[in-house]
């Protein structure tokens, strides 16, 4: 039988002395401790601790990871956790993340050191995924609770959760159920032990019982605070993405480096131009390079004025702004062919202030190598000496400058340093053109371009090209050559089914393709029933991942059947159902997204190089970063720097970027932002098992797969 103990001054004092940390009596006259703004993540290789580490990485929050399976790892003892700086005791970590409540062997000195550290410095602990059991303040799930699949369950945030770390959520936390044949989520649902100081933050109904069971809750005991999570998850799953921000807010008390916001921007390419249409008989696009020369009859898709009215009305309804990437030759050619008339261009110019505009080059010409389209797929034309023939610097500059001049004359609210080339051409495209056109960078410099759109599926990392920095864009799987739902489904079937089913066979040749179909979709219903939910889930996954990269579609998708709107409505409508009003979607234009990505890269490089220090002493936070590197932080509302409010409000906190120019940057926290509560707050201490009793290993249960959503690597 495992021994139980009560939290008494004698027991705690003995434990502190045993592991080498100062006792409360010894600290009575000591200065206030320094707590470094860094998280300790102790991992067992499981998906849950990996997910929390990924959230910290994405936000730019410093952390140290200790892999329990690494035989060369450091030993976690008092010296690893604490030291003294300038005569002041220092806690090296503001929070501790463990795979479960105690992943160490029974009687472990390392767990004893962690317990003493948490008690001494009021350091919170996250149990990334643990069983419901009395050691974490919950009744065992067997008997009165539930252990099993929670696929499709709609959990709810409790009032305590809304008043606390999960106040940015509207109230429900839906668990994914993407496949009827795969168990995606497993959980232990249980109620708190009688007398335990346990507060559920997220809970769900226990099947077959009239009670709710905790999925995420806070357990206070022995002068410690634990966030107890009793469901397994990975970094991609929606339920975790919804809760990740709150887990970090809880463990840091809302005071940490880094920031997490939910971004969504949509670029509409080829505005003013017309897009070639998919031929459902030929399974190619006449007029484009996937059809043999002269094959089929082009039947282009182009918006009409009513489509502009629909776009403006949709924006007003969604409080969202689209970015229109335009090709001016589309209207110049149209007027030449229609007696000088172009109602679409007239309407767009009249409503120009309703949208953001991006230069997409004048004719949408391919600006990489000179294409040899006499073969399918095309290849780069070569010079007599075998070298690649490139589109010239002057030709590229002319495409950019001529389009810009038309936009300026039309009064478009352009940001003249932004550019998206047609098909992202000029940049490398494999396999035909594995390097950038060497004339692209100089032409961008000639025309003052600083931000250049790139295709995330083939060029995901931000980089410099001449004076420009790339901004990777996510291609939505809504095809440029489809104006009708049936066309979209037909092409989708062609791409993603087997040759024996009349498809292209791409999935047979590339089994890792994530959108493969077991059978063709019904052209009448497949768009709404399969493509829309899938594309919505993929895009919403990007939004919830603190990922500012824009998505792109084409003007054809706003015409005819207007097939883009069901997906866009799915993303924004689904978002509104999940988040409170103080956590809106952040809708930035391309250059601002580029700046955000650039700052993140510099910040991450400084963190990786050990050039950032940050700590809290009482109600003051001090941050040091290299000159020229912007600092990013999330703080409680009311935080000030030199008497001025810090950051901008988001999700119940304030966050933002600031430049310290190599000097210490200080933040004064509001009085309400106290340190983690000392003691367990329970009045009468509840019985708990000794912290040296290890938890059962929290592995992913048999049959539960770590779902990565379709397109996560796109």
């Amino acid at each position: 039988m495992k021994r139980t103990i009560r939290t008494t001054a004698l027991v705690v004092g003995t434990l502190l002395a045993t592991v080498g940390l100062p006792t409360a009596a010894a600290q009575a006259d000591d200065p206030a401790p320094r707590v470094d703004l860094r998280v300790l993540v102790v991992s067992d290789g499981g998906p849950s601790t990996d997910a929390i580490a990924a959230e910290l990485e994405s936000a730019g929050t410093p952390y140290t990871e200790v892999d329990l399976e690494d035989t060369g790892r450091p030993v976690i003892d008092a010296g690893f956790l604490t030291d003294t700086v300038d005569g002041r005791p220092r806690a090296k970590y503001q929070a501790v993340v463990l795979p479960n409540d105690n992943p160490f062997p029974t009687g472990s000195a390392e767990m004893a050191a962690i317990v003493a550290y948490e008690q001494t410095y009021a350091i919170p602990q996250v149990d990334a995924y643990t069983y419901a059991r009395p050691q974490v303040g919950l009744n065992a799930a067997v008997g009165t609770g539930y252990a099993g699949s929670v696929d499709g369950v709609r959990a709810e945030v409790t009032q305590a959760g809304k008043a606390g770390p999960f106040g940015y959520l509207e109230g429900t936390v839906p668990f994914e159920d993407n496949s009827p044949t795969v168990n995606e989520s497993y959980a232990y649902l249980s109620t708190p032990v009688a007398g335990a100081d346990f507060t559920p933050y997220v809970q769900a109904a226990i099947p077959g019982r009239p009670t709710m069971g905790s999925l995420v809750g806070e357990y206070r005991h022995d002068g410690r605070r634990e966030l107890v999570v009793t469901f397994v998850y990975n970094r991609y799953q929606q339920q975790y993405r919804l809760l990740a921000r709150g887990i970090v807010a809880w463990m840091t008390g809302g005071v940490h480096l880094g920031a997490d916001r939910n971004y969504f921007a949509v670029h509409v390419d080829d505005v003013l131009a017309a897009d070639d249409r998919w031929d459902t008989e030929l399974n190619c696009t006449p007029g484009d390079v996937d059809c043999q020369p002269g094959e089929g009859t082009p039947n282009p898709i182009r918006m009409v004025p009513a489509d502009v009215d629909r776009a403006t009305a949709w924006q007003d309804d969604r409080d969202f702004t689209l970015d229109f990437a335009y090709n001016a030759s589309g209207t110049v050619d149209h007027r030449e062919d229609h007696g000088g008339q172009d109602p679409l261009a007239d309407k767009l110019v009249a409503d120009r202030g309703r949208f953001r505009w991006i230069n997409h080059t004048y004719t949408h010409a391919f600006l990489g190598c000179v294409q040899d389209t006499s073969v399918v797929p095309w290849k780069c034309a070569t010079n007599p000496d075998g070298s690649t023939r490139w589109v010239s610097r002057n030709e590229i500059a002319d495409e950019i400058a001529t389009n810009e001049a038309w936009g300026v004359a039309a009064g478009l609210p352009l940001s003249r340093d932004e550019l998206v080339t047609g098909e992202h051409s000029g940049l490398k495209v494999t396999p035909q053109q594995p390097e950038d056109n060497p004339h692209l960078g100089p032409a961008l410099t000639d025309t003052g371009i600083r931000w250049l759109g790139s295709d995330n599926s083939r060029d995901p990392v931000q980089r410099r090209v001449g004076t420009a920095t790339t901004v990777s864009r996510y291609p939505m799987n809504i095809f440029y050559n489809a104006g009708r739902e049936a066309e979209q489904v037909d092409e989708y079937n062609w791409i993603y089914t087997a040759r024996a089913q009349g498809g292209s066979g791409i999935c047979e040749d590339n089994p890792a393709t994530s959108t493969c179909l077991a059978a063709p979709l019904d052209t009448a219903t497949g768009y709404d029933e399969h493509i829309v939910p899938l594309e919505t889930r993929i895009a919403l996954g990007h939004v919830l991942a603190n990922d500012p990269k824009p998505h792109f579609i084409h003007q054809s998708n706003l015409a005819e059947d207007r097939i883009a709107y069901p997906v866009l409505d799915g993303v924004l409508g689904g978002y509104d159902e999940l988040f409170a009003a103080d956590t809106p979607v952040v809708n930035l234009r391309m250059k601002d997204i580029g700046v955000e990505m650039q700052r993140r890269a510099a910040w991450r490089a400084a963190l990786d190089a050990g050039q950032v220090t940050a700590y809290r002493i009482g109600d003051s936070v001090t941050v040091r970063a290299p000159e020229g590197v912007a600092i990013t932080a999330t703080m409680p509302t009311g935080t000030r720097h030199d008497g001025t409010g810090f950051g901008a409000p988001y999700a119940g906190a304030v966050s933002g970027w600031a430049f310290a120019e190599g000097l210490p940057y200080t933040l004064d926290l509001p009085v309400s932002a106290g340190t983690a509560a000392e003691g367990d707050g329970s009045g009468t201490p509840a019985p708990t098992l000794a912290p040296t009793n290890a938890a059962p290993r929290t592995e992913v249960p048999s049959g539960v797969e770590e779902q990565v959503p379709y397109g996560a690597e796109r």
Side-chain angles (χ1 to χ4, degrees):
M1 181 177 177
K2 295 181 179 179
R3 182 174 64 90
T4 61
I5 61 172
R6 290 186 178 273
T7 308
T8 64
L10 176 61
V11 172
V12 173
T14 301
L15 182 58
L16 297 179
T18 300
V19 298
L21 292 172
T23 64
Q27 296 182 66
D29 298 323
D30 286 348
R34 160 179 160 168
V35 180
D36 282 5
L37 301 191
R38 175 174 287 270
V39 175
L40 174 62
V41 178
V42 180
S43 171
D44 63 354
S48 299
T49 47
D50 175 71
I52 293 176
E55 168 64 15
L56 299 172
E57 181 78 19
S58 171
T61 303
Y63 69 99
T64 295
E65 186 166 0
V66 175
D67 184 356
L68 294 177
E69 298 183 342
D70 180 1
T71 57
R73 70 173 178 84
V75 175
I76 301 174
D77 56 16
F80 180 82
L81 297 168
T82 66
D83 61 9
T84 300
V85 176
D86 297 330
R88 185 184 301 276
R90 175 175 73 143
K92 297 181 182 179
Y93 308 99
Q94 65 181 133
V96 174
V97 177
L98 299 181
N100 52 61
D101 55 294
N102 182 359
F104 299 95
T106 299
S108 166
E110 289 185 290
M111 190 65 210
I114 290 173
V115 168
Y117 175 69
E118 293 171 353
Q119 291 169 327
T120 303
Y121 295 101
I123 301 299
Q125 173 181 310
V126 175
D127 304 335
Y129 167 53
T130 195
Y131 291 84
R133 60 195 191 113
Q135 289 90 336
V136 294
L138 293 170
N139 291 303
V142 177
T144 59
Y146 170 79
S149 173
V150 285
D151 291 4
V153 164
R154 294 187 72 83
E156 65 178 40
V157 181
T158 66
Q159 289 303 312
K162 289 182 179 180
F166 302 104
Y168 58 89
L169 293 174
E170 188 66 27
T172 62
V173 180
F175 277 62
E176 291 183 347
D177 187 13
N178 298 327
S179 171
T181 61
V182 175
N183 290 318
E184 300 163 34
S185 302
Y186 192 95
Y188 297 89
L189 293 169
S190 184
T191 55
V193 171
D197 186 0
F198 190 101
T199 303
Y201 289 144
V202 181
Q203 61 187 11
I206 298 176
R209 298 183 182 278
T211 53
M212 304 291 283
S214 178
L215 288 164
V216 183
E218 179 176 333
Y219 181 38
R220 292 175 177 245
H221 64 109
D222 302 334
R224 300 166 60 209
R225 298 168 59 236
E226 290 181 55
L227 191 71
V228 179
V229 183
T230 58
F231 70 94
V232 67
Y233 49 90
N234 66 51
R235 66 172 75 183
Y236 301 107
Q237 290 179 302
Q238 179 174 284
Q239 56 267 29
Y240 170 69
R241 294 302 329 152
L242 292 173
L243 298 172
R245 180 195 313 276
I247 291 173
V248 173
W250 182 89
M251 74 168 81
T252 63
V255 177
H256 62 86
L257 298 183
D260 185 339
R261 296 195 176 200
N262 299 331
Y263 299 88
F264 192 47
V266 179
H267 295 181
V268 183
D269 289 4
D270 304 350
V271 172
L272 292 173
D275 289 296
D276 294 317
R277 189 186 303 271
W278 173 257
D279 189 307
T280 59
E281 298 298 325
L282 296 174
N283 289 325
C284 66
T285 310
D288 210 337
V289 295
D290 61 335
C291 274
Q292 295 290 343
E295 188 176 21
T297 302
N299 180 19
I301 310 161
R302 190 173 190 252
M303 292 172 66
V304 298
D307 297 322
V308 181
D309 288 333
R310 176 71 178 95
T312 56
W314 180 85
Q315 287 190 151
D316 290 342
D317 183 56
R318 289 296 182 191
D319 191 21
F320 189 87
T321 302
L322 297 167
D323 294 84
F324 276 6
Y326 73 98
N327 307 104
S329 69
T331 180
V332 173
D333 293 345
H334 190 91
R335 291 187 192 278
E336 288 180 359
D337 295 337
H338 296 83
Q341 301 301 306
D342 187 1
L344 172 62
D346 293 342
K347 180 64 174 174
L348 284 167
V349 170
D351 290 350
R352 58 189 177 275
R354 306 296 300 276
F355 309 100
R356 295 190 293 242
W357 295 84
I358 303 173
N359 188 339
H360 195 32
T361 72
Y362 187 65
T363 69
H364 201 279
F366 190 84
L367 302 181
C369 62
V370 175
Q371 290 179 297
D372 178 357
T373 58
S374 65
V375 292
V376 177
W378 62 270
K379 63 180 181 179
C380 286
T382 57
N383 295 308
D385 63 359
S387 61
T388 300
R389 288 178 58 194
W390 298 104
V391 174
S392 72
R393 175 175 178 174
N394 285 341
E395 289 174 290
I396 297 172
D398 185 63
E399 279 283 332
I400 298 168
T402 304
N403 203 53
E404 178 187 299
W406 186 94
V408 171
L412 302 185
L414 281 172
S415 182
R416 297 169 68 174
D417 54 359
E418 296 178 336
L419 175 71
V420 176
T421 58
E423 301 178 58
H424 304 101
S425 60
L427 296 172
K428 60 186 177 181
V429 52
T430 55
Q432 295 102 321
Q433 184 197 309
E435 60 181 323
D436 295 345
N437 182 342
H439 303 308
L440 177 64
L444 298 177
T445 301
D446 293 342
T447 51
I449 300 300
R450 294 188 57 211
W451 305 104
L452 177 66
S454 64
D455 187 333
N456 188 75
S457 63
R458 66 192 191 207
D459 201 2
V461 178
Q462 192 173 42
R463 60 190 180 93
R464 289 295 294 272
V465 183
T467 53
T469 302
T470 59
V471 177
S472 301
R473 308 190 305 162
Y474 285 114
M476 281 186 159
N477 224 2
I478 306 173
F479 303 136
Y480 78 97
N481 51 1
R484 303 290 186 191
E485 290 184 5
E487 295 165 353
Q488 165 80 17
V489 177
D490 183 88
E491 185 175 2
Y492 201 92
N493 284 340
W494 161 252
I495 296 173
Y496 297 119
T497 57
R499 292 181 180 90
Q501 298 168 320
S504 68
I506 189 174
C507 290
E508 294 161 277
D509 300 336
N510 303 277
T513 304
S514 60
T515 43
C516 295
L517 297 171
L521 303 174
D522 186 321
T523 55
T525 61
Y527 188 67
D528 289 336
E529 293 180 356
H530 180 88
I531 298 175
V532 169
L534 177 57
E535 289 304 308
T536 297
R537 186 164 70 247
I538 292 170
L540 186 56
H542 296 152
V543 174
L544 302 185
N546 190 26
D547 189 343
K549 294 177 181 176
H551 295 72
F552 71 94
I553 56 175
H554 294 80
Q555 63 85 31
S556 52
N557 308 140
L558 303 185
E560 299 182 354
D561 284 353
R562 300 168 177 168
I563 61 177
Y565 291 116
V567 174
L568 302 183
D569 283 333
V571 173
L572 294 174
Y575 184 93
D576 289 344
E577 292 177 359
L578 296 171
F579 287 90
D582 67 355
T583 312
V585 160
V586 180
N587 175 218
L588 301 179
R589 72 172 305 140
M590 191 170 80
K591 66 184 302 179
D592 296 322
I593 293 170
V595 170
E596 174 71 19
M597 294 169 63
Q598 206 170 48
R599 287 177 173 175
R600 289 189 188 192
W603 175 251
R604 174 49 56 194
L607 288 178
D608 292 344
Q611 297 173 326
V612 175
T613 59
Y615 55 87
R616 174 178 179 172
I617 299 175
D619 292 331
S620 178
V621 170
T622 301
V623 186
R624 295 175 185 264
E627 187 171 357
V629 174
I631 292 165
T632 177
T634 299
M635 296 286 149
T637 300
T639 297
R640 304 182 75 80
H641 169 69
D642 285 347
T644 302
F646 170 78
Y650 194 78
V654 291
S655 56
W657 294 94
F659 283 94
E661 301 303 338
L663 301 174
Y665 189 87
T666 58
L667 292 164
D668 298 316
L669 303 175
V671 175
S672 59
T675 58
E678 296 182 2
D680 63 77
S682 62
T684 302
T688 59
L689 294 182
T692 50
N693 290 318
R697 182 171 175 81
T698 49
E699 298 175 335
V700 178
S702 176
V704 176
E705 296 192 18
E706 296 176 31
Q707 282 285 90
V708 176
Y710 298 112
E713 302 305 322
R714 282 171 42 186

